[in-house]
Amino acid sequence: MTSEFPRRVALVTGANRGIGLEVCRQLGARGWRVFLGARDTEKGDAAARSLVCDVSAAALDVDDPDAPFRLAAAIGPVDVLINNAGVHYDTWETALGADWRIVREAFETNLFGAWRMAQAFAPEMRARGWGRIVNVSSGAGSLASMGAGTPAYPTSKAALNALTRVLAGELSGTGVLVNAVCPGWVATDMGGAGGRPSRGGRGERAVGG
Ligand code: NAP
């Protein structure tokens, strides 16, 4: 099959379940080559087998400082990086009483994980003159609407939004665009049963450049 567009290669982090898995399914259905990132290789393999498209599981714990760089060396350049892995919607916490372990883990995954992934994959995008980095953020990270409670999650997502703008600025004019999105409330392990089903949803653009 010929196409006026080159066949894109995408990497989605935290994609063995929830929104990440659905993103892989939808990109695969568009004919893209998809790498499905998962920190548990058995879960990643099982998730990849559940999809009917050109998808490969990729072992990836974004908290591991070396893992993004090892993966980049193993799979080569990708056109689109979707930083989806996320943790700790800590509704049970207050800022004054927050458990530092939870706060640190939230920042490690939600901010530093995405940051490391950009460091590992953006240089090749820039060298090739095309790339897209999508940071899966949350409306909870909006400074304009932020209030009391759930301290680790929104502060880490606000920081992810800030990183998005800084990266977008650094890569401006190179053909590499960096954006953040909020998927809305989605029924996943994180979102709980009240959200929209993860299959077939449409994301909305939140911040970025
Ligand atoms: P989820 O069902 O809890 O799935 C989270 C995924 O991230 C899992 O695959 C998990 O892997 C993975 N993950 C966690 N830590 C990781 C790490 N260190 N390295 C690699 N993967 C890791 O969450 P979701 O609802 O699909 O959320 C996906 C993204 O959307 C998150 O960034 C979240 O903040 C954002 N979001 C969700 C909602 C919502 O309503 N659901 C709303 C706004 C934003 P394991 O299976 O190994 O734990």
Side-chain angles (χ1 to χ4, degrees):
M1 189 177 76
T2 58
S3 164
E4 61 181 301
F5 298 110
R7 188 163 184 253
R8 297 294 185 198
V9 178
L11 167 61
V12 185
T13 71
N16 52 287
R17 59 187 166 97
I19 292 168
L21 178 59
E22 174 62 11
V23 169
C24 290
R25 192 187 68 77
Q26 292 195 20
L27 294 179
R30 285 168 170 75
W32 290 32
R33 170 108 178 89
V34 178
F35 287 100
L36 179 158
R39 57 182 168 176
D40 180 312
T41 50
E42 278 185 22
K43 288 181 186 171
D45 287 339
R49 279 196 304 273
S50 77
L51 300 178
V52 186
C53 61
D54 185 2
V55 59
S56 304
L60 176 65
D61 181 343
V62 301
D63 292 1
D64 175 347
D66 299 324
F69 303 95
R70 279 200 308 270
L71 184 63
I75 68 174
V78 301
D79 302 299
V80 174
L81 165 64
I82 299 175
N83 281 318
N84 167 77
V87 290
H88 292 338
Y89 188 60
D90 56 332
T91 50
W92 64 94
E93 293 208 291
T94 62
L96 293 178
D99 176 344
W100 283 109
R101 183 182 62 81
I102 296 294
V103 175
R104 288 202 173 90
E105 285 177 0
F107 274 77
E108 195 63 54
T109 304
N110 300 352
L111 175 65
F112 301 135
W115 199 330
R116 278 190 281 269
M117 290 298 295
Q119 286 189 335
F121 286 92
E124 198 62 38
M125 292 178 181
R126 180 169 51 192
R128 288 153 36 117
W130 201 93
R132 300 287 184 266
I133 299 174
V134 180
N135 293 327
V136 181
S137 185
S138 169
S142 162
L143 291 177
S145 58
M146 204 175 282
T150 319
Y153 185 78
T155 54
S156 66
K157 292 295 189 180
L160 178 62
N161 291 347
L163 173 69
T164 301
R165 299 200 74 114
V166 172
L167 285 174
E170 270 187 38
L171 291 165
S172 175
T174 67
V176 182
L177 302 183
V178 188
N179 285 282
V181 295
C182 172
W185 186 14
V186 183
T188 62
D189 290 347
M190 178 184 284
R196 285 180 293 120
S198 59
R199 280 192 74 139
R202 283 164 33 121
E204 83 194 44
R205 187 165 179 273
V207 298

